Amino acid sequence: MKKNIFILVLLLAGNLQAGFLHRSTLLGGSNDDVNWEIALDSSNNVYIAGYTASNDYPIVSGFQTVFTGWDGAFSKFNSDLSGLIYSTYLGGNGYDDFIGISVDVNENCYLSGGTFSADFPIVSGSWDTSYNGNGDAFISKLDATGSSLIYSTYLGSGEHEYSRGSSNDANGYLYLVGPTASVYFPTTAGAVSNVYGGGTFDIFATKLDQNGTGLVYSTFIGGTDYDHTW
């Protein structure tokens, strides 16, 4: 049985009465569509991110209109879910998945997750423009119109890693956490730990600069066994 994304808003915009069902809707194409994350901006527009296996996923004025495989899917609804402001694929020929969203005051969106695509959309000059293999984390900053990438970068080291969540601050820095299976994951001098703890996964915590070109800090967090973050 195929899966569609199911979105509901439980709070009426401007009304803090919990449990009030304001709107709900389905979104998807003819194959599986899954949403992992939801965010709101200051105007209560609704952002959802996940993945899709549908070549007919609803696309509106998005950066990437062509389905290339198992792609990340990102959509922005107006506040009452009555219309899509934009909707886009983002991915390459491998498996791509959005797991984190954050939105800044200018309605630029920061998307993070995992990719197995050596041709994932990357912006020249970003921190890491080459796929490292076996599944990389990625971070992509999409402009307020959903039509252009401000930056987009891999974050990895040749073993499996992906971002489980992200948050931006008022100055445009981005904070990421997730699991990594690599002793060579990029860390920075003076970080809490530059040494992989062991086991199947360690947690990483990374701060990316405003331009997506450098790491402000990056560290392992973990012990000798399995460490993960949700």
Side-chain angles (χ1 to χ4, degrees):
M1 179 183 295
K2 76 169 295 292
K3 296 175 288 220
N4 276 128
I5 296 169
F6 173 55
I7 310 145
L8 60 84
V9 175
L10 286 175
L11 298 181
L12 180 64
N15 185 336
L16 298 182
Q17 181 181 355
F20 181 84
L21 180 60
H22 182 39
R23 290 287 190 274
S24 65
T25 188
L26 293 172
L27 181 69
S30 56
N31 276 312
D32 284 354
D33 314 287
V34 172
N35 173 56
W36 293 122
E37 190 64 270
I38 188 167
L40 301 176
D41 63 23
S42 59
S43 301
N44 288 320
N45 296 311
V46 179
Y47 301 77
I48 64 163
Y51 68 79
T52 180
S54 299
N55 63 7
D56 56 352
Y57 186 87
I59 299 298
V60 178
S61 302
F63 168 77
Q64 180 179 327
T65 60
V66 177
F67 181 69
T68 57
W70 199 298
D71 283 345
F74 182 62
S75 301
K76 178 181 179 179
F77 281 88
N78 58 13
S79 60
D80 64 2
L81 302 182
S82 63
L84 284 170
I85 297 172
Y86 64 75
S87 185
T88 186
Y89 297 115
L90 189 64
N93 290 323
Y95 173 86
D96 312 290
D97 195 0
F98 296 141
I99 305 175
I101 317 172
S102 60
V103 184
D104 67 22
V105 293
N106 297 313
E107 298 185 9
N108 301 308
C109 295
Y110 303 79
L111 302 166
S112 62
T115 179
F116 285 85
S117 295
D119 59 344
F120 188 86
I122 295 296
V123 174
S124 176
S126 299
W127 158 251
D128 185 355
T129 58
S130 298
Y131 180 60
N132 298 281
N134 296 317
D136 276 359
F138 71 84
I139 311 99
S140 300
K141 182 178 179 180
L142 195 65
D143 74 1
T145 69
S147 62
S148 179
L149 288 175
I150 297 171
Y151 65 71
S152 185
T153 181
Y154 293 110
L155 181 65
S157 55
E159 297 295 340
H160 189 44
E161 47 253 325
Y162 55 99
S163 172
R164 290 295 311 183
S166 63
S167 180
N168 64 282
D169 65 21
N171 295 314
Y173 292 98
L174 190 69
Y175 303 81
L176 303 139
V177 294
T180 177
S182 178
V183 298
Y184 301 110
F185 185 86
T187 60
T188 54
V192 171
S193 177
N194 300 110
V195 180
Y196 185 76
T200 308
F201 284 108
D202 260 12
I203 296 167
F204 70 82
T206 299
K207 180 180 180 179
L208 192 68
D209 70 16
Q210 300 107 314
N211 300 313
T213 58
L215 304 182
V216 179
Y217 63 70
S218 187
T219 185
F220 291 112
I221 304 173
T224 57
D225 211 330
Y226 179 91
D227 306 289
H228 206 290
T229 178
W230 296 104

